[in-house]
Amino acid sequence: MTGMPLTFYNSLTREFEVFAPRDPGNVRVYSCGPTVYHYAHVGNLRAYVFTDTLTRTITSRGWPLTHVINITDVGHLTSDADAGDDKMEAAARRSGRDIWAIAKHYTDAFKQNLIDLNIRMPTHMPKATDHVAEMIAWGEKIAPRHCYLLDDGLYFDTTTVPDYGRLAGAVDDAAHGRIETVAGKRHPQDFAIWRTTPPGETRQMEWDSPWGRGAPGWHLECSVMATKYLGPAFDIHTGGIDHREIHHPNEIAQNQAHCECADTGASLWMHNNFLVDRTGKMSKSSGDFLALARLIERGFHPLSYRLMCLQAHYRSELEFSWENLAAAQVRLKRWVHAIEGLRARDGSGDGSIAGAYVEQLDAALSDDLATPRALPVLDGLLADKKLSPADRLATLAAFDAVLGLNLGVLTRKALRTRPGDATIEEAAIEARLADRREARAARDFPRSDAIRDELAHAGVELMDGDPLGWDWKLPTARD
Ligand code: AMP
Ligand code: ZN
């Protein structure tokens, strides 16, 4: 890639800023990770497609990167307000399972999601429960000047730091449900650093602390792990837009209390918007949500979901629908089809890179990661008859490096995933299709229709209108 300056939208200053690493020898990025009480839903995964686009763009500029995605395996409450149950404890109680086993199961599932989506593994994936001693030490340092003790834990007084909530902007606390039930809190925005286990209750995960036996607050975890792996002042902190209101302002407050200065930790705060469905924001706690596995079961390739994400700007809301996903899969197939065609014409592998296309790609990503603008550039490249197949293939690598769609590797066959609930094997589908082509050639339309119906019954939908001649596609929405 060329050296075009990268411009990112900073949620903290609410301005576009040219990215200048604190240390060009090591760009440091922290991304709030999943709470592992359940599978990640595809909305959560949108957050990591975004961070992967971000970190790929950074490394494509030649900057070395340290990236952290934490695993929240304790402390995240069932409500953003400072009351309620720990999500992990609640899940353990509901299922009667061991909390550590739950955390491991969903952490492994999350890692598999990253692999399926071709999201690069971060440098570090620290677990909150491995850092409790450091959290206690952090609490001890800030407690005398910034915290107060209530019956149920140690609370942070948000008036003790400069400019609390600058990131969130003017928030109406009542509207955000922040005025809630913790008795004795000095200000509605104050939050728990440590939550003591109520008398008579037991938790599966609890530790001794100077403030009683209990568990750390969720916000504290991220300050501690970010600082441990990236230092007190690093480059970029990411998360979903929900974190802009409470979780991240609280991290900033803790960082300021810890350094006794006005530093916010990261200089750049970036937030992806939500994936929504027709009923509103997708959420894990609602129970009925879409995990990546469900998309795969329906026969979609995970990279079709990645492409669906890239078709929207990360700061725009994106609506999930099976139709959108199917459209993304068709687009991916067309590219793969075109690339296989190029490869068939030139398998030599030694083309030269078409700089003009790389520059356009670079320009789109430099503009606050405008992936929707980068995709038509790829269309243009693949269709450019003035470039030899070898040159087009060589240039493709620059797109794969930042978009992560694996186009250099994906095959038509891989995209023809048989849906999990189809009752027919691929060879049988192909055989029936050959029969149908014959029937159509003989203008025997009743027979052709009968074969179509038979396949539909077995869970395979035909695509007669596809100009590229993809013979069948996977079933889309049934709900
Ligand atoms: P959680 O596992 O709930 O702690 O969330 C993991 C990440 O997903 C966080 O960065 C959230 O802000 C983000 N997130 C949660 N819901 C959505 C959604 N519907 N769309 C996009 N990002 C989301
Ligand atoms: Zn966090």
Side-chain angles (χ1 to χ4, degrees):
M1 276 217 176
T2 59
M4 202 173 290
L6 283 176
T7 304
F8 295 138
Y9 182 77
N10 188 348
S11 299
L12 191 61
T13 57
R14 289 176 160 66
E15 278 176 9
F16 292 94
E17 292 173 7
V18 172
F19 178 61
R22 288 171 183 266
D23 171 5
N26 182 19
V27 175
R28 288 158 293 158
V29 180
Y30 185 91
S31 302
C32 284
T35 310
V36 286
Y37 71 104
H38 214 320
Y39 295 109
H41 60 63
V42 286
N44 300 131
L45 296 175
R46 184 183 185 201
Y48 306 105
V49 170
F50 152 62
T51 59
D52 196 46
T53 309
L54 172 68
T55 54
R56 282 171 179 270
T57 301
I58 288 169
T59 48
S60 76
R61 303 299 164 112
W63 282 315
L65 170 83
T66 305
H67 184 208
V68 177
I69 301 180
N70 75 289
I71 298 290
T72 296
D73 54 357
V74 65
H76 196 170
L77 302 189
T78 48
S79 114
D80 241 352
D82 234 324
D85 218 347
D86 186 301
K87 290 188 181 196
M88 295 292 304
E89 295 281 341
R93 223 174 300 118
R94 248 192 334 265
S95 65
R97 285 162 63 202
D98 171 65
I99 200 162
W100 299 94
I102 291 178
K104 177 164 188 335
H105 176 78
Y106 293 117
T107 302
D108 290 347
F110 176 69
K111 288 181 184 163
Q112 187 58 48
N113 289 160
L114 299 187
I115 293 167
D116 287 341
L117 288 166
N118 199 28
I119 293 172
R120 297 185 308 184
M121 281 298 154
T123 325
H124 305 285
M125 230 186 208
K127 291 194 298 186
T129 49
D130 284 342
H131 297 80
V132 174
E134 285 117 311
M135 293 175 203
I136 292 173
W138 186 296
E140 284 181 303
K141 173 157 189 228
I142 66 173
R145 295 190 55 185
H146 300 276
C147 302
Y148 53 94
L149 200 56
L150 297 179
D151 283 347
D152 69 339
L154 183 70
Y155 278 79
F156 189 96
D157 182 333
T158 50
T159 61
T160 62
V161 289
D163 219 4
Y164 173 80
R166 173 177 163 218
L167 179 65
V171 213
D172 174 350
D173 290 312
H176 281 73
R178 293 259 299 258
I179 302 200
E180 27 49 31
T181 51
V182 179
K185 253 167 71 163
R186 291 181 189 159
H187 317 95
Q189 300 89 335
D190 293 357
F191 57 89
I193 291 284
W194 186 266
R195 291 164 51 85
T196 41
T197 310
E201 275 184 30
T202 46
R203 297 175 46 112
Q204 288 197 44
M205 284 177 174
E206 54 180 11
W207 296 262
D208 285 323
S209 85
W211 319 289
R213 203 163 164 74
W218 170 44
H219 315 300
L220 182 59
E221 300 174 0
C222 282
S223 282
V224 167
M225 290 186 275
T227 306
K228 171 164 179 180
Y229 294 96
L230 303 176
F234 56 99
D235 294 296
I236 306 179
H237 197 310
T238 76
I241 193 146
D242 48 337
H243 292 350
R244 201 181 61 182
E245 307 301 328
I246 298 174
H247 181 50
H248 290 169
N250 291 353
E251 272 188 56
I252 290 175
Q254 293 164 158
N255 297 345
Q256 292 175 331
H258 196 253
C259 69
E260 291 294 357
C261 68
D263 283 0
T264 51
S267 24
L268 189 61
W269 293 73
M270 295 176 76
H271 295 99
N272 64 277
N273 210 322
F274 282 138
L275 180 78
V276 296
D277 59 20
R278 284 185 197 101
T279 59
K281 180 198 152 192
M282 229 174 244
S283 93
K284 261 194 290 210
S285 46
S286 70
D288 179 29
F289 63 83
L290 267 186
L292 190 63
R294 255 193 89 200
L295 270 52
I296 297 171
E297 270 162 32
R298 288 213 182 185
F300 288 99
H301 195 283
L303 291 176
S304 302
Y305 177 65
R306 183 176 180 117
L307 175 56
M308 188 183 131
C309 291
L310 297 178
Q311 290 182 156
H313 190 265
Y314 77 90
R315 286 193 296 114
S316 308
E317 219 172 64
L318 170 62
E319 182 175 324
F320 180 87
S321 71
W322 294 104
E323 291 75 18
N324 283 350
L325 183 61
Q329 179 133 318
V330 168
R331 192 175 192 186
L332 196 58
K333 282 179 173 179
R334 277 162 206 248
W335 284 336
V336 169
H337 182 80
I339 292 160
E340 287 187 350
L342 294 175
R343 235 182 259 128
R345 286 165 56 203
D346 186 309
S348 70
D350 41 67
S352 44
I353 291 172
Y357 283 102
V358 178
E359 258 169 47
Q360 286 179 60
L361 168 70
D362 194 5
L365 288 157
S366 297
D367 184 7
D368 197 26
L369 306 175
T371 52
R373 257 175 42 213
L375 302 176
V377 181
L378 179 56
D379 285 322
L381 167 71
L382 295 177
D384 189 343
K385 302 226 160 34
K386 292 200 289 295
L387 288 177
S388 72
D391 289 355
R392 278 182 266 174
L393 290 171
T395 311
L396 185 68
F399 287 77
D400 259 353
V402 286
L403 301 176
L405 289 169
N406 240 350
L407 292 168
V409 176
L410 266 185
T411 59
R412 242 173 100 136
K413 197 160 166 36
L415 288 170
R416 274 189 164 183
T417 324
R418 190 176 147 273
D421 58 358
T423 52
I424 182 167
E425 292 298 331
E426 185 160 339
I429 299 174
E430 293 297 342
R432 297 307 283 142
L433 283 171
D435 293 348
R436 186 161 178 268
R437 269 194 296 271
E438 228 170 65
R440 283 165 75 88
R443 306 189 70 75
D444 183 352
F445 295 113
R447 181 151 168 261
S448 152
D449 288 348
I451 296 173
R452 158 189 284 279
D453 293 347
E454 183 199 318
L455 285 172
H457 197 69
V460 174
E461 211 175 298
L462 298 189
M463 294 169 76
D464 286 331
D466 188 334
L468 287 178
W470 288 93
D471 297 322
W472 51 276
K473 74 163 182 159
L474 312 162
T476 51
R478 300 225 180 99
D479 53 8

